[in-house]
């Protein structure tokens, strides 16, 4: 089944403790991206990647890192999480850049930083 | 920076046609317009995509006027299961053309009542 898989679904951590949220897709998609969703702010793009070893900043990249060492994986790294990064996070992939190709989203990761 | 504007919420009744309009005044020349549907605690799901005039698929129609500064998603004969948040998406026109950076609006919460 074609899908985007994120893990974990729920994560509670403390300020400053490094964490990684994994994202994997099995559709051989070139484009992958991360979003955060907050009440009243909709979906905001954090980072995106056009292909292996090619990443770029989205609208809200501060406090996040990503890597794209393999085509199928695009982990989101929070080196030193802070409470303002408490949010619902989504990973997505598409065959080509999402402005002309449908995005496939994962089921989300709800992160709480205390 | 490209920006989309949608109504925050809309109400409808089962069996009615619903039209949701999105404003994107700064859309890039080669940019597509894409609409997504999101249910609570799930990732957004692709509905329809278009460049100009009218596009129709099995679930919706998309109307885009000649100036492309807005678009209207039309859902025929809605049911209770169409209650969701609807997002329109365009690319960021910052560099004079559609880029790989994506800008979601804040979404429209459609509430369908019996």
């Amino acid at each position: 089944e074609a899908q985007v898989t994120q893990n974990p679904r729920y994560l509670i951590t403390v300020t400053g403790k490094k964490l990684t949220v994994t994202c994997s897709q099995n559709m051989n998609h070139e484009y992958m991206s991360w979003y955060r969703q907050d009440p009243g702010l909709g979906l905001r793009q954090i980072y995106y990647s056009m292909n292996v070893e090619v990443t770029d900043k989205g609208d809200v990249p501060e406090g996040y890192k990503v890597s794209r060492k393999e085509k199928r994986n695009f982990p989101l790294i929070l080196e030193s999480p802070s409470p303002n990064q408490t949010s619902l996070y989504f990973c997505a992939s598409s065959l080509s850049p999402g402005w002309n190709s449908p995005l496939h989203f994962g089921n989300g990761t709800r992160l709480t930083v205390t | 920076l490209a920006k989309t504007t949608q109504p925050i919420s809309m109400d409808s009744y089962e069996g009615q046609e619903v039209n949701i309009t999105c404003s994107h005044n700064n859309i890039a020349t080669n940019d597509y317009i894409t609409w997504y549907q999101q249910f609570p605690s799930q990732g957004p799901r692709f509905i329809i995509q278009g460049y100009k005039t009218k596009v129709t698929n099995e679930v919706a129609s998309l109307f885009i006027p000649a100036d492309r500064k807005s678009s209207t998603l039309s859902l025929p004969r809605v049911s209770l299961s169409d209650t969701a948040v609807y997002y329109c998406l365009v690319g960021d026109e910052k560099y004079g053309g559609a880029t790989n950076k994506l800008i979601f609006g804040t979404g429209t919460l459609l509430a369908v009542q019996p």
Side-chain angles (χ1 to χ4, degrees), chain B:
Chain B
L1 185 69
K3 177 178 162 61
T4 61
T5 304
Q6 303 173 231
I8 293 174
S9 64
M10 295 182 69
D11 293 320
S12 182
Y13 292 94
E14 282 192 291
Q16 289 188 332
E17 178 185 76
V18 171
N19 296 310
I20 306 174
T21 297
C22 178
S23 170
H24 29 78
N25 291 322
N26 295 324
I27 188 170
T29 302
N30 56 343
D31 198 3
Y32 282 72
I33 300 144
T34 314
W35 284 80
Y36 291 84
Q37 176 192 55
Q38 186 180 26
F39 297 113
S41 301
Q42 293 185 23
R45 184 178 69 171
F46 171 82
I47 302 175
I48 197 166
Q49 184 179 70
Y51 181 78
K52 61 180 179 180
T53 63
K54 178 183 174 183
V55 179
T56 297
N57 62 22
E58 62 277 7
V59 298
S61 294
L62 179 60
F63 298 92
I64 305 169
D67 66 8
R68 303 195 338 114
K69 292 183 184 299
S70 66
S71 59
T72 299
L73 173 72
S74 181
L75 304 171
R77 296 179 301 282
V78 295
S79 63
L80 295 176
S81 62
D82 292 316
T83 293
V85 177
Y86 292 83
Y87 292 94
C88 74
L89 169 68
V90 299
D92 184 1
E93 52 73 49
K94 184 176 180 181
Y95 304 106
T99 72
N100 303 317
K101 184 175 171 181
L102 302 177
I103 307 295
F104 279 88
T106 53
T108 298
L109 173 58
L110 172 64
V112 180
Q113 301 174 31

Side-chain angles (χ1 to χ4, degrees), chain A residues 9-28:
Chain A
R9 288 296 307 274
Y10 300 92
L11 180 57
I12 301 174
T13 189
V14 296
T15 299
K17 186 176 181 181
K18 180 179 177 180
L19 66 90
T20 299
V21 183
T22 63
C23 174
S24 179
Q25 50 93 5
N26 62 0
M27 297 167 278
N28 200 36

Side-chain angles (χ1 to χ4, degrees), chain A residues 22-61:
Chain A
T22 63
C23 174
S24 179
Q25 50 93 5
N26 62 0
M27 297 167 278
N28 200 36
H29 283 169
E30 302 277 332
Y31 185 91
M32 297 187 74
S33 50
W34 276 101
Y35 304 83
R36 61 177 290 173
Q37 186 170 39
D38 303 289
L41 296 176
L43 283 155
R44 294 180 293 168
Q45 192 180 52
I46 303 171
Y47 268 95
Y48 61 91
S49 170
M50 283 301 300
N51 211 324
V52 174
E53 303 294 0
V54 181
T55 64
D56 209 345
K57 297 177 180 178
D59 247 3
V60 288

Side-chain angles (χ1 to χ4, degrees), chain A residues 41-97:
Chain A
L41 296 176
L43 283 155
R44 294 180 293 168
Q45 192 180 52
I46 303 171
Y47 268 95
Y48 61 91
S49 170
M50 283 301 300
N51 211 324
V52 174
E53 303 294 0
V54 181
T55 64
D56 209 345
K57 297 177 180 178
D59 247 3
V60 288
E62 294 76 22
Y64 305 94
K65 285 176 57 177
V66 292
S67 69
R68 189 93 181 269
K69 293 184 169 56
E70 304 166 284
K71 196 172 187 178
R72 63 182 290 127
N73 296 322
F74 190 46
L76 179 69
I77 303 156
L78 284 72
E79 293 271 3
S80 183
S82 62
N84 64 13
Q85 293 178 298
T86 292
S87 186
L88 178 59
Y89 291 87
F90 289 101
C91 178
S93 72
S94 58
L95 198 58
S96 59

